[in-house]
Structure formats: structure tokens, C-alpha cells
Amino acid sequence: MMESGGLKVQRRPPVRKRSLSSVHSLYTPVKKKPSGKEEMKITSESHNHADCPTEENGSDDDLFGEYDSFAEDPSLLAQMDYLEEKCKQEATNTALEHQFVTPTIPSISKHLAEDDFEDFPCSQLFYEEAKQDSGTATNHNRTNDLCNIEVGDVCTSMVSHKYPKDEKRKSLRDSLKYTLAGNAKAHTPQISRTMQIKETIIMEELDVAQKTVETSSEIDLGPFYGLPSKVADLIEQYKGIKNLYDWQHTCLTLESLRQRKNLIYSLPTSGGKTLVAEIVILQELLCRKRDVLMILPYVAIVQEKVRGLSAFGVELEFLIEEYAGSKGRFPPIKRRTKKSLYIATIEKGHSLVNSLIETERISDLGLVVVDELHMLSEGSRGAVLEMALSKVLYTSETTQIIGMSATLNNVNELQQFLKADYYTDNFRPVELKEYVKLRDSIYEVDNKEENNFTLSRVLNYKYSSNMLRMDPDHIIALVTEVIPNHSCLVFCPTKKNCENVAEMICKYLNKAYLGHREAEKKQLIEDLRNTGNGTICSVLKRTVPFGIAYHHSGLTSDERKLVEEAYSSGVLCLLTCTSTLAAGVNLPARRSVNWSVNHQRTVTAI
């Protein structure tokens, strides 16, 4: 024991030098330890840093890092005094406003046994002994406020911790850890029970509102049947339709659609059934943000519908996915933002429904539209369609089904099966007249007459003997009454008949037909040649210059597209086709001729 400057200093075992890489604690002072052999003065000038021997090897169990003492910087105590006054002033102001008092921590050294001083650095040990000997309140408060100093000159309020009487006194490190844990708990925000109840009520109301929006069909995005006015502009731009028919308006405003009930509607051909379905599809995609499945009977119709709606998908930001032939992905990719319109054949539609059920995504399907619903009664394909609809009915209560057809005989059974409402109308935009040709006489179909036929006229077309032998049904006479200024369709029983009839008509046509839109016909032949890698069908090469072509499943998809576009634009005025085209491909025709196999009768519709 030695005396220096009136203070007692007790020799302690050498302390270990702290590693520079030690992690700094909350109590690390701002000013770092000087480098080199520069000496640091503490509060007592008689204490020399050389009196505290050190070891070369650092220790990882050091709480204070590279600093010898909280008091080794003379400016630190003054800074502590300033922060002490500042904290007291802030605590007073806070207590007046919020009735909250910031407690302090008792002196750490009060809970330390004498053996615990072994862990102190020499400078800190000297400071603790001096504080105990002096017994001044200033040093006592200064030690308490050490726990309120934070890096960056920020003072945080801390709570006091009372140690149990029978608890064994802890080391300095354990005490600090215990105190910090108490402070963390004290700063945990407390939420009142009333606030929790209010938040719960608000969340329940939001959930109810969200479910109401999802199930409601009255989501209005614009003036066009709940859709933006942009939809009406696109229909006018791409379809040439400015105003809807009265029956279309009535159907779109049915209570069945408002309440999202299943619906079956039936109207004659060319009445505008498809447009109603497309508007309902857009409502589901844009307003309710759910996927849609549209089932069509044939691959050609699927491809035609994909082409017709692709522009709407780009403009209105939804996806169109084709499920026909070799195209289609099972299960479909799940989109997070854009919704999808699946256009599929009957078989592909059934597979798509199966994949959605297996992946538990059938509820993502908001609407199923079935064109040519009467195919439910047609053999194996009808059974596949029935299975697909049955699975949708019994696996998803939120999926709406809409079916349409021009010819429905068992409406009551279909209503019971689909649990659907029914709407029908006899509207036709263009009057349809039916005729039957026997030899060179044409009879009009009239249900009011006793024999259902009325003689209309006799064909006035000069046939040579050779020409009559080649065309006993007077097909050439029937088609030349409308072409080339108007369009005509001749339906044949087989693909071979289509090609033969096209060549036969061209063989006996006047050469003047070659000059009608000649440049566009040449361009069409060139496009067909490019599509076929430099080759073109010999039949098309001979018939296209006359404005005639055939249309059946033997054409590739690219060739079929070119032929359909040329016919729609008027470059081609006559198509010889199979019944595939009649199943739903929308092509205009002033006259349609149905040529029977037995060559006994030709039915002409005008």
C-alpha cells in the first residue's frame, strides 16, 4: 500500500491489455485512446499510467474494448456533468407533459464484492476507491449516470433494477447485461386493450368490404357496361360496331349477370351472340380481376378468336393463351398482375380444368364461356364437354358458366344441369331466306304453304352439253349471280370435293374475272408461296387469279389465315369449304350453297 497525493492506491495484479478488435459496448466513450506512448491523465494528477502494468496478449473477454477507463479523458467528466443536467431537464419536462419519470440506476459498485474488483482496469479501480473514500454525492451521481451515456452524445432514459436480497452478487459484466435487458423491456411500447379492440374491429370491417367487392358484380370502371369507354372505342375500331342491338343491351343488363348466376342464351346465327360473351369476358378480366376460360369446338375457330382478341389484350393489358393442337401449358403459369384469357378446344379445356383442380387453383377461374353449347349431345366430344362443366360446377362455387348456341332443343335439361337462367330472342340483323333448287327450278321455303314450298323462279343460264355434264347441279349459275361484287360460300361434303368444285368453277368462268383486283391477287399468291417455303398448292395457283379458293383442314394455319383475310377483305369472292368453316368462323357471305352428296338437290340460302 502506498500513498500519493493524499489518496490511497492499492497494488493490484497486472491487468491484461485489451484487444483493439474488441466490440465496443454501449458505454464506450467518444474519444479514442491516443496512439503510441502518449500518456493519458486522469482526475488525480498523482496517478501515473506507468503504474499499471499490462500484458502483450489481448483478451476476448474484455467489456470496454481498447479503453482503460471511462475517466481517462479529462473532458469526459465535464461532458457527463453537462449531459446529467440536460437529462434532468428533459426528464422534468417530460414528467410535466406525460407524467412519466425517468428513474436512474443505482451505483454498480454497491452490488460488487471485493473479489469482483479483480476485473477492473487499474484506472477504473482507482476511480472507484476514490469515490468510496470521498463519499461525495457528486461522484456517486456521476457513477450512476455513466449508464446513461450513449455514443453520439445521446442520453436515453433507463429504468432501475432491484436485485433480490437473497440473490448472489454478480460480476460487473453480468450486472451491465442484466441492466440493459431491463432497459430493453422498459422501452417496449405498451398498447392498451381498447386500442387493440379498435384495431381488430377495423380489420374485420376491411375483410368484409374486400369480400363484398370480390363477390359483387357492380364494379363500375366506366360508362360502357361497367367497362372503360376505351373498350367501346376498341370495338368500333377493330369490329366496326358503334351501337349494340336492343337484345344485346337487354341481355347485358339481365339480373342473372348482375348476380353472377349461370346463363344460357340462344339466338339465330349472325345475331351477335359472340359480342355479348366478349363483353362479359372483359368485365371479368378488368373489373373482377379473375381468369376466364372460353371453350370453342374446333382448332380453326380457336385460332380465329385468338387473332380477333389479341389487339384487345394488348390495349387493355391482359394475356391471351391458346390451348389448341399442340399449344397450351398444364397447369398454366400463375400471374401476379395480369389476368389470362384461356381460349381452348373442348379437349384442351377439359385438361386445363383438371390441371387447375389438381393445383387447387380452380377458384382463380372466374368465368367459363362455352360456344356451341348444343355439342353436349354430340357423341364423345359432348361427353368430354359435359365432364369439364361438371367438374367446374362441383369444385368451384364462385365460377360462373355462360353457354350460347343458335340451336338448342333440350333447354330445360340444360338449365337443370347448369343451374342456369335462360334468355332467347328471334332477332336477325339480315333477313334469311331459304331456297331449294330442283333441276333448273328454284323453290322458296314457306311454312305457310301446304307443301312448304313456293316456286320462285327458273334459272336463266346457258349451259353447253359439256358444261351441263360437268355441272349438273348448276352450281356455276348459282355463284355467278353474286360474284365477284359479293361473296359466296359453297359447302362440300369432303376436302377433295372442295378442290374439285373450285377448279370446275374456274374452268368455265369468263376471263373478265381475272382483272378484278388483280394486283392484290398476285400479292396473295406470293404470300402463299412464301408461307410454303417457295412452293404453292397447284389448285390454289390456278383458282386464286379468279378470286376463288378452297378452305378445309388440309391448309396450314398460315395458309388458312391468309385465305380468310383475303376473303374478308374481298380479294377472294368465293370459297369452297367443308362444314368446319360453318362451325363458327365469322366470314361474310351474300349467298351460301349447300351441295349434297347424291347430286339430287342443292339448297341455296340467300
Side-chain angles (χ1 to χ4, degrees), residues 190-247:
Q190 300 294 329
I191 302 176
S192 64
R193 177 64 177 172
T194 304
M195 185 63 67
Q196 291 179 350
I197 294 175
K198 289 182 178 180
E199 291 181 354
T200 303
I201 294 174
I202 293 174
M203 293 302 296
E204 291 178 354
E205 292 177 350
L206 290 175
D207 292 340
V208 172
Q210 184 177 1
K211 292 179 180 179
T212 303
V213 170
E214 290 176 353
T215 57
S216 175
S217 61
E218 297 297 329
I219 304 175
D220 193 353
L221 298 182
F224 187 71
Y225 301 99
L227 294 169
S229 57
K230 183 179 181 180
V231 176
D233 297 336
L234 292 174
I235 292 176
E236 180 179 355
Q237 178 181 353
Y238 294 107
K239 296 181 178 293
I241 300 174
K242 294 182 179 180
N243 300 308
L244 300 184
Y245 298 128
D246 292 339
W247 82 265

Side-chain angles (χ1 to χ4, degrees), residues 454-485:
T454 301
L455 180 64
S456 175
R457 59 189 173 90
V458 178
L459 286 175
N460 186 16
Y461 190 88
K462 295 181 180 180
Y463 272 82
S464 63
S465 58
N466 185 33
M467 185 177 178
L468 187 60
R469 187 171 57 253
M470 295 294 298
D471 182 22
D473 292 315
H474 303 88
I475 295 177
I476 297 176
L478 294 173
V479 300
T480 53
E481 291 180 352
V482 294
I483 64 171
N485 297 323

Side-chain angles (χ1 to χ4, degrees), residues 111 161-170 174 178:
H111 301 285
H161 173 73
K162 294 183 179 180
Y163 294 90
K165 294 182 179 180
D166 56 345
E167 184 179 355
K168 184 179 180 180
R169 292 183 177 179
K170 302 179 181 180
D174 294 338
Y178 203 91

